[in-house]
Amino acid sequence: MLVLVKITYNVTPLTDVILPSPSSKVMKTLILSGKLFPSLANLVKSRDKQKPLFISNLGYGDVRLISDGSEVIKVKANSRLKATLSFPFLDGIQNEITEGIYETPYGKFSLLLDSIEIIDIKSLKNVDDYQNANMYVKFLTPTLLSSKVLLPPSLASKYKQVNSGFSLLPSIGLIIAYAYRDYYAILGNTNGEEYASRAFKLGILINAFTKIVGFNLRPKTVIIGRDSKNKLRETRGTVGWIEFDVVHDKFKRLAIKYLLIASYLGLGRSRGIGLGEIKFELKKRNE
């Protein structure tokens, strides 16, 4: 059985703190230090671009605490923040669910378990009442999507060294191609020409069958740490929302299945530090 786990914590700083950017480093540091879910440490350290792991930034509701470099992230003592972790179920992981007060390089925090969600991936294949609904995707944190994902596999090696950056106005095909990659990362199958070819074809076909209903997208810069010379590192991605329909039943069902996975694991690059966090829902049409 293929199962995802989503764990949400209430995170409370016990003193006034200045958070790092991204603020996901608080939870990431606890994992790497062995204080929280030590079994996830190797997954956190992995250099695999498609690892099935999401660590959210700290935040209030849908507002995530990230910095564009113009100011630091200040949080007062006893503010109630939330953070989520999503990953495939591992044997014995239930024994690593803990709560308590933890020291970090960023301050002392109280962690209290808020919720645990168990998702059987196979159950996501059957989504009812989707025919009379549009798909709505909200990008909560900057989402890093490279259009090179839609390059034909036969040309991938030829243009491997071309740095096209990240798309700040992503097509629906590009979004779904990345969601597809999330799905197959859980299965451990993200390499090989056949996989790349299917992702490419899916993106092109989804683009061909998509009807955009509305959108409000904008670029946003986020600080992601410092380099070896202590200079701030930044990246730029998409935030906002887009509403659309896929007017082909087979591909609409596939798009929904993959986006449901992405709503747990995020989209694009740097999901392990909280970028690419999305909310996904079906919106009923009035017809």
Side-chain angles (χ1 to χ4, degrees), residues 132-144:
N132 189 35
N134 294 326
M135 287 175 273
Y136 177 89
V137 176
K138 184 176 182 180
F139 303 97
L140 299 180
T141 56
T143 302
L144 311 181

mmCIF file with all atom_site columns, all heavy atoms in Angstrom, residues 132-144:
data_model
loop_
_atom_site.group_PDB
_atom_site.id
_atom_site.type_symbol
_atom_site.label_atom_id
_atom_site.label_alt_id
_atom_site.label_comp_id
_atom_site.label_asym_id
_atom_site.label_entity_id
_atom_site.label_seq_id
_atom_site.pdbx_PDB_ins_code
_atom_site.Cartn_x
_atom_site.Cartn_y
_atom_site.Cartn_z
_atom_site.occupancy
_atom_site.B_iso_or_equiv
_atom_site.pdbx_formal_charge
_atom_site.auth_seq_id
_atom_site.auth_comp_id
_atom_site.auth_asym_id
_atom_site.auth_atom_id
_atom_site.pdbx_PDB_model_num
ATOM 1   N N   . ASN A 1 132 ? -18.514 18.714 -13.552 1.00 0.00 ? 132 ASN A N   1
ATOM 2   C CA  . ASN A 1 132 ? -19.061 20.064 -13.548 1.00 0.00 ? 132 ASN A CA  1
ATOM 3   C C   . ASN A 1 132 ? -18.252 20.970 -12.612 1.00 0.00 ? 132 ASN A C   1
ATOM 4   O O   . ASN A 1 132 ? -18.795 21.780 -11.876 1.00 0.00 ? 132 ASN A O   1
ATOM 5   C CB  . ASN A 1 132 ? -20.532 20.039 -13.101 1.00 0.00 ? 132 ASN A CB  1
ATOM 6   C CG  . ASN A 1 132 ? -21.204 21.384 -13.299 1.00 0.00 ? 132 ASN A CG  1
ATOM 7   O OD1 . ASN A 1 132 ? -20.926 22.100 -14.251 1.00 0.00 ? 132 ASN A OD1 1
ATOM 8   N ND2 . ASN A 1 132 ? -22.084 21.739 -12.380 1.00 0.00 ? 132 ASN A ND2 1
ATOM 9   N N   . ALA A 1 133 ? -16.937 20.809 -12.658 1.00 0.00 ? 133 ALA A N   1
ATOM 10  C CA  . ALA A 1 133 ? -16.090 21.593 -11.760 1.00 0.00 ? 133 ALA A CA  1
ATOM 11  C C   . ALA A 1 133 ? -14.823 22.036 -12.480 1.00 0.00 ? 133 ALA A C   1
ATOM 12  O O   . ALA A 1 133 ? -14.305 21.334 -13.365 1.00 0.00 ? 133 ALA A O   1
ATOM 13  C CB  . ALA A 1 133 ? -15.719 20.772 -10.521 1.00 0.00 ? 133 ALA A CB  1
ATOM 14  N N   . ASN A 1 134 ? -14.352 23.214 -12.114 1.00 0.00 ? 134 ASN A N   1
ATOM 15  C CA  . ASN A 1 134 ? -13.050 23.685 -12.558 1.00 0.00 ? 134 ASN A CA  1
ATOM 16  C C   . ASN A 1 134 ? -12.006 23.310 -11.517 1.00 0.00 ? 134 ASN A C   1
ATOM 17  O O   . ASN A 1 134 ? -12.332 23.039 -10.356 1.00 0.00 ? 134 ASN A O   1
ATOM 18  C CB  . ASN A 1 134 ? -13.049 25.206 -12.744 1.00 0.00 ? 134 ASN A CB  1
ATOM 19  C CG  . ASN A 1 134 ? -13.951 25.650 -13.876 1.00 0.00 ? 134 ASN A CG  1
ATOM 20  O OD1 . ASN A 1 134 ? -14.091 24.959 -14.885 1.00 0.00 ? 134 ASN A OD1 1
ATOM 21  N ND2 . ASN A 1 134 ? -14.563 26.812 -13.719 1.00 0.00 ? 134 ASN A ND2 1
ATOM 22  N N   . MET A 1 135 ? -10.761 23.331 -11.936 1.00 0.00 ? 135 MET A N   1
ATOM 23  C CA  . MET A 1 135 ? -9.649  23.092 -11.014 1.00 0.00 ? 135 MET A CA  1
ATOM 24  C C   . MET A 1 135 ? -9.057  24.435 -10.594 1.00 0.00 ? 135 MET A C   1
ATOM 25  O O   . MET A 1 135 ? -8.891  25.338 -11.421 1.00 0.00 ? 135 MET A O   1
ATOM 26  C CB  . MET A 1 135 ? -8.600  22.212 -11.678 1.00 0.00 ? 135 MET A CB  1
ATOM 27  C CG  . MET A 1 135 ? -9.046  20.768 -11.800 1.00 0.00 ? 135 MET A CG  1
ATOM 28  S SD  . MET A 1 135 ? -7.871  19.724 -12.706 1.00 0.00 ? 135 MET A SD  1
ATOM 29  C CE  . MET A 1 135 ? -8.436  20.015 -14.377 1.00 0.00 ? 135 MET A CE  1
ATOM 30  N N   . TYR A 1 136 ? -8.755  24.539 -9.312  1.00 0.00 ? 136 TYR A N   1
ATOM 31  C CA  . TYR A 1 136 ? -8.242  25.792 -8.737  1.00 0.00 ? 136 TYR A CA  1
ATOM 32  C C   . TYR A 1 136 ? -6.967  25.484 -7.977  1.00 0.00 ? 136 TYR A C   1
ATOM 33  O O   . TYR A 1 136 ? -6.957  24.637 -7.074  1.00 0.00 ? 136 TYR A O   1
ATOM 34  C CB  . TYR A 1 136 ? -9.290  26.403 -7.813  1.00 0.00 ? 136 TYR A CB  1
ATOM 35  C CG  . TYR A 1 136 ? -8.861  27.669 -7.095  1.00 0.00 ? 136 TYR A CG  1
ATOM 36  C CD1 . TYR A 1 136 ? -9.052  28.920 -7.684  1.00 0.00 ? 136 TYR A CD1 1
ATOM 37  C CD2 . TYR A 1 136 ? -8.291  27.615 -5.831  1.00 0.00 ? 136 TYR A CD2 1
ATOM 38  C CE1 . TYR A 1 136 ? -8.679  30.087 -7.027  1.00 0.00 ? 136 TYR A CE1 1
ATOM 39  C CE2 . TYR A 1 136 ? -7.911  28.772 -5.164  1.00 0.00 ? 136 TYR A CE2 1
ATOM 40  C CZ  . TYR A 1 136 ? -8.115  30.005 -5.764  1.00 0.00 ? 136 TYR A CZ  1
ATOM 41  O OH  . TYR A 1 136 ? -7.747  31.151 -5.107  1.00 0.00 ? 136 TYR A OH  1
ATOM 42  N N   . VAL A 1 137 ? -5.886  26.137 -8.366  1.00 0.00 ? 137 VAL A N   1
ATOM 43  C CA  . VAL A 1 137 ? -4.594  25.944 -7.716  1.00 0.00 ? 137 VAL A CA  1
ATOM 44  C C   . VAL A 1 137 ? -4.133  27.283 -7.150  1.00 0.00 ? 137 VAL A C   1
ATOM 45  O O   . VAL A 1 137 ? -4.068  28.277 -7.879  1.00 0.00 ? 137 VAL A O   1
ATOM 46  C CB  . VAL A 1 137 ? -3.533  25.405 -8.696  1.00 0.00 ? 137 VAL A CB  1
ATOM 47  C CG1 . VAL A 1 137 ? -2.168  25.309 -8.014  1.00 0.00 ? 137 VAL A CG1 1
ATOM 48  C CG2 . VAL A 1 137 ? -3.947  24.033 -9.227  1.00 0.00 ? 137 VAL A CG2 1
ATOM 49  N N   . LYS A 1 138 ? -3.821  27.304 -5.861  1.00 0.00 ? 138 LYS A N   1
ATOM 50  C CA  . LYS A 1 138 ? -3.291  28.499 -5.212  1.00 0.00 ? 138 LYS A CA  1
ATOM 51  C C   . LYS A 1 138 ? -1.855  28.221 -4.804  1.00 0.00 ? 138 LYS A C   1
ATOM 52  O O   . LYS A 1 138 ? -1.569  27.252 -4.095  1.00 0.00 ? 138 LYS A O   1
ATOM 53  C CB  . LYS A 1 138 ? -4.128  28.869 -3.990  1.00 0.00 ? 138 LYS A CB  1
ATOM 54  C CG  . LYS A 1 138 ? -3.681  30.163 -3.323  1.00 0.00 ? 138 LYS A CG  1
ATOM 55  C CD  . LYS A 1 138 ? -4.614  30.539 -2.175  1.00 0.00 ? 138 LYS A CD  1
ATOM 56  C CE  . LYS A 1 138 ? -4.193  31.862 -1.542  1.00 0.00 ? 138 LYS A CE  1
ATOM 57  N NZ  . LYS A 1 138 ? -5.111  32.233 -0.417  1.00 0.00 ? 138 LYS A NZ  1
ATOM 58  N N   . PHE A 1 139 ? -0.939  29.068 -5.237  1.00 0.00 ? 139 PHE A N   1
ATOM 59  C CA  . PHE A 1 139 ? 0.479   28.933 -4.910  1.00 0.00 ? 139 PHE A CA  1
ATOM 60  C C   . PHE A 1 139 ? 0.755   29.748 -3.646  1.00 0.00 ? 139 PHE A C   1
ATOM 61  O O   . PHE A 1 139 ? 0.762   30.982 -3.672  1.00 0.00 ? 139 PHE A O   1
ATOM 62  C CB  . PHE A 1 139 ? 1.341   29.440 -6.057  1.00 0.00 ? 139 PHE A CB  1
ATOM 63  C CG  . PHE A 1 139 ? 1.077   28.751 -7.375  1.00 0.00 ? 139 PHE A CG  1
ATOM 64  C CD1 . PHE A 1 139 ? 0.228   29.313 -8.316  1.00 0.00 ? 139 PHE A CD1 1
ATOM 65  C CD2 . PHE A 1 139 ? 1.673   27.529 -7.660  1.00 0.00 ? 139 PHE A CD2 1
ATOM 66  C CE1 . PHE A 1 139 ? -0.011  28.677 -9.525  1.00 0.00 ? 139 PHE A CE1 1
ATOM 67  C CE2 . PHE A 1 139 ? 1.436   26.889 -8.858  1.00 0.00 ? 139 PHE A CE2 1
ATOM 68  C CZ  . PHE A 1 139 ? 0.584   27.464 -9.797  1.00 0.00 ? 139 PHE A CZ  1
ATOM 69  N N   . LEU A 1 140 ? 0.974   29.073 -2.536  1.00 0.00 ? 140 LEU A N   1
ATOM 70  C CA  . LEU A 1 140 ? 1.156   29.745 -1.253  1.00 0.00 ? 140 LEU A CA  1
ATOM 71  C C   . LEU A 1 140 ? 2.569   30.287 -1.075  1.00 0.00 ? 140 LEU A C   1
ATOM 72  O O   . LEU A 1 140 ? 2.770   31.293 -0.372  1.00 0.00 ? 140 LEU A O   1
ATOM 73  C CB  . LEU A 1 140 ? 0.838   28.784 -0.103  1.00 0.00 ? 140 LEU A CB  1
ATOM 74  C CG  . LEU A 1 140 ? -0.590  28.236 -0.066  1.00 0.00 ? 140 LEU A CG  1
ATOM 75  C CD1 . LEU A 1 140 ? -0.755  27.294 1.117   1.00 0.00 ? 140 LEU A CD1 1
ATOM 76  C CD2 . LEU A 1 140 ? -1.605  29.364 0.016   1.00 0.00 ? 140 LEU A CD2 1
ATOM 77  N N   . THR A 1 141 ? 3.549   29.617 -1.649  1.00 0.00 ? 141 THR A N   1
ATOM 78  C CA  . THR A 1 141 ? 4.933   30.081 -1.604  1.00 0.00 ? 141 THR A CA  1
ATOM 79  C C   . THR A 1 141 ? 5.495   30.057 -3.027  1.00 0.00 ? 141 THR A C   1
ATOM 80  O O   . THR A 1 141 ? 4.967   29.342 -3.889  1.00 0.00 ? 141 THR A O   1
ATOM 81  C CB  . THR A 1 141 ? 5.805   29.199 -0.683  1.00 0.00 ? 141 THR A CB  1
ATOM 82  O OG1 . THR A 1 141 ? 5.722   27.829 -1.112  1.00 0.00 ? 141 THR A OG1 1
ATOM 83  C CG2 . THR A 1 141 ? 5.362   29.315 0.765   1.00 0.00 ? 141 THR A CG2 1
ATOM 84  N N   . PRO A 1 142 ? 6.542   30.831 -3.297  1.00 0.00 ? 142 PRO A N   1
ATOM 85  C CA  . PRO A 1 142 ? 7.094   30.866 -4.653  1.00 0.00 ? 142 PRO A CA  1
ATOM 86  C C   . PRO A 1 142 ? 7.347   29.469 -5.199  1.00 0.00 ? 142 PRO A C   1
ATOM 87  O O   . PRO A 1 142 ? 7.972   28.635 -4.547  1.00 0.00 ? 142 PRO A O   1
ATOM 88  C CB  . PRO A 1 142 ? 8.389   31.657 -4.473  1.00 0.00 ? 142 PRO A CB  1
ATOM 89  C CG  . PRO A 1 142 ? 8.110   32.576 -3.326  1.00 0.00 ? 142 PRO A CG  1
ATOM 90  C CD  . PRO A 1 142 ? 7.254   31.759 -2.388  1.00 0.00 ? 142 PRO A CD  1
ATOM 91  N N   . THR A 1 143 ? 6.839   29.242 -6.410  1.00 0.00 ? 143 THR A N   1
ATOM 92  C CA  . THR A 1 143 ? 6.892   27.920 -7.031  1.00 0.00 ? 143 THR A CA  1
ATOM 93  C C   . THR A 1 143 ? 7.878   27.959 -8.192  1.00 0.00 ? 143 THR A C   1
ATOM 94  O O   . THR A 1 143 ? 7.752   28.797 -9.083  1.00 0.00 ? 143 THR A O   1
ATOM 95  C CB  . THR A 1 143 ? 5.490   27.510 -7.510  1.00 0.00 ? 143 THR A CB  1
ATOM 96  O OG1 . THR A 1 143 ? 4.592   27.531 -6.384  1.00 0.00 ? 143 THR A OG1 1
ATOM 97  C CG2 . THR A 1 143 ? 5.503   26.125 -8.113  1.00 0.00 ? 143 THR A CG2 1
ATOM 98  N N   . LEU A 1 144 ? 8.866   27.067 -8.146  1.00 0.00 ? 144 LEU A N   1
ATOM 99  C CA  . LEU A 1 144 ? 9.968   27.086 -9.099  1.00 0.00 ? 144 LEU A CA  1
ATOM 100 C C   . LEU A 1 144 ? 9.780   25.987 -10.139 1.00 0.00 ? 144 LEU A C   1
ATOM 101 O O   . LEU A 1 144 ? 10.025  24.812 -9.872  1.00 0.00 ? 144 LEU A O   1
ATOM 102 C CB  . LEU A 1 144 ? 11.299  26.884 -8.359  1.00 0.00 ? 144 LEU A CB  1
ATOM 103 C CG  . LEU A 1 144 ? 11.531  27.766 -7.116  1.00 0.00 ? 144 LEU A CG  1
ATOM 104 C CD1 . LEU A 1 144 ? 12.897  27.467 -6.507  1.00 0.00 ? 144 LEU A CD1 1
ATOM 105 C CD2 . LEU A 1 144 ? 11.390  29.240 -7.450  1.00 0.00 ? 144 LEU A CD2 1
#
